[in-house]
Amino acid sequence: SVLSRYENQITILSDYLEEFPETDEPVWILGRQHHLNTDKSKLLLDISARLWFTYRRKFSPIGGTGPSSDAGWGCMLRCGQMMLAQALICRHLGRDWQWEKHKKQPEEYHRILRCFLDRKDCCYSIHQMAQMGVGEGKSIGEWFGPNTVAQVLKKLALFDEWNSLAVYVSMDNTVVIEDIKKMCWSPAQSSGVAHSSAYLHRSALGQNKNTAGLCPGWKPLLLIIPLRLGINHINPVYIDAFKECFKMPQSLGALGGKPNNAYYFIGFLGNELIYLDPHTTQSFVDSEENGTVDDESFHCQQAPHRMKIMNLDPSVAVGFFCKEECDFDNWCSLVQKEILKQQSLRMFELVQKHPPHWPPFIPPTKPEVTTTGAELIESTDKLFELEEEFEILSV
């Protein structure tokens, strides 16, 4: 145990290695603006507060006989974990929550962290994500792209009753307001869907949800938009709109990087993106007997990495979190004003109504299963097959 902790500290003991340049330009981190000349320490604290998930080794083999380390293949899964963890922090602790070394943290924080530990019984563990990826056509140990990890998170969230998130992954570069509101509202507040069996089932599940502080009936929204910002390289016409995403108060950053090399992008300075890098291999960490987690290896205490935005692979996914409906309405207004304004080539579309040529939208609900892993994958695949059959019958 002592050796394991020592190994985990090797990568985080160094002081800030990659200093920010002297500049008057603001730094944007997940919807917050910082000025290097006046509040650099606050900027670094804001960055170190983000949960940092990296490669790990010496965890129990995935699927019982699979790999016991995700080094070399799990970087996009780790980035997906980081984006989701940021949503959960906003959900339970608020965007302005800060982490400090050796400071006692609330129980919600440790409960969030336990969701991501490298154990098969943790809802967003590398085990669950890798095995759920099988249903998306990815073998265990195979590299994921941004869209695949978004689909995996969408499926796993169905089994997470504590956080009770509505996960919407856009199709065809189009975000449909009507579908999101149908997904996030319970039947008591949504006209026209009260008799839907899917809605009634989710309503029954939701009776014992912990929704303190939320609008009644609204499920907090994790919105992920997979994008293609060019063919082989980013088209410069998208750069300003992409940067605007990091300015929004609902921002969860972006998943992307370079081919087979994923990063979690949390902000920008000028034309450089700021990111957390999962490509550090640390030893498996488990929770203590009292439920707390030795958490220092889950926070990057070095200055973050930066890369020129034009070096980014054009395949990315941007994420947003809307705790209440008013947050989503505000996001829609910001998109119309800042992203869709005067753009001949739009990064994505935001439409009010469900496109008539699309299949009907049916919010997914949790299957009645009590298992995880491969059986869970099979059950969710059957769920989505049933939904597709229902959509055909509805037509």
Side-chain angles (χ1 to χ4, degrees), residues 199-374:
Y199 269 82
L200 290 171
H201 179 60
R202 191 176 68 209
S203 178
L205 286 173
Q207 286 176 1
N208 57 7
K209 298 283 194 298
N210 176 14
T211 55
L214 303 183
C215 297
W218 175 268
K219 290 186 74 172
L221 170 67
L222 168 56
L223 169 59
I224 304 177
I225 309 175
L227 299 169
R228 186 79 191 181
L229 303 181
I231 301 175
N232 297 318
H233 304 282
I234 281 196
N235 188 329
V237 74
Y238 294 121
I239 288 179
D240 287 342
F242 185 59
K243 287 162 64 174
E244 284 295 331
C245 293
F246 295 98
K247 294 183 180 181
M248 296 180 177
Q250 301 85 359
S251 175
L252 293 178
L255 309 176
K258 300 174 182 178
N260 298 322
N261 213 20
Y263 305 124
Y264 176 42
F265 296 95
I266 58 174
F268 71 92
L269 168 62
N271 284 319
E272 290 185 331
L273 294 172
I274 298 168
Y275 64 92
L276 295 178
D277 188 351
H279 300 91
T280 293
T281 305
Q282 305 186 81
S283 287
F284 163 67
V285 170
D286 206 347
S287 57
E288 309 284 350
E289 288 185 9
N290 62 2
T292 63
V293 179
D294 181 18
D295 63 351
E296 282 194 48
S297 67
F298 293 99
H299 293 272
C300 183
Q301 298 167 65
Q302 301 172 359
H305 298 283
R306 304 193 306 276
M307 68 178 284
K308 293 188 183 300
I309 196 168
M310 285 302 295
N311 292 338
L312 181 68
D313 186 86
S315 180
V316 299
V318 292
F320 304 93
F321 176 73
C322 302
K323 186 174 182 179
E324 301 182 8
E325 185 178 25
C326 56
D327 297 321
F328 177 62
D329 292 340
N330 175 257
W331 179 84
C332 292
S333 298
L334 288 172
V335 168
Q336 293 284 4
K337 181 181 177 183
E338 303 297 342
I339 291 183
L340 304 182
K341 63 178 182 182
Q342 302 173 349
Q343 265 202 270
S344 57
L345 198 58
R346 293 183 171 183
M347 193 165 68
F348 61 87
E349 296 289 341
L350 177 65
V351 299
Q352 185 68 46
K353 295 292 185 181
H354 186 87
H357 59 283
W358 283 14
F361 177 76
I362 302 174
T365 54
K366 175 187 173 184
E368 291 295 337
V369 295
T370 57
T371 185
T372 57

Side-chain angles (χ1 to χ4, degrees), residues 100-117:
E100 293 180 35
K101 197 185 329 185
H102 307 312
K103 180 181 177 182
K104 183 179 172 64
Q105 296 296 340
E107 166 58 23
E108 290 87 349
Y109 165 78
H110 289 283
R111 193 168 179 182
I112 290 169
L113 200 45
R114 290 197 299 271
C115 290
F116 298 94
L117 295 180

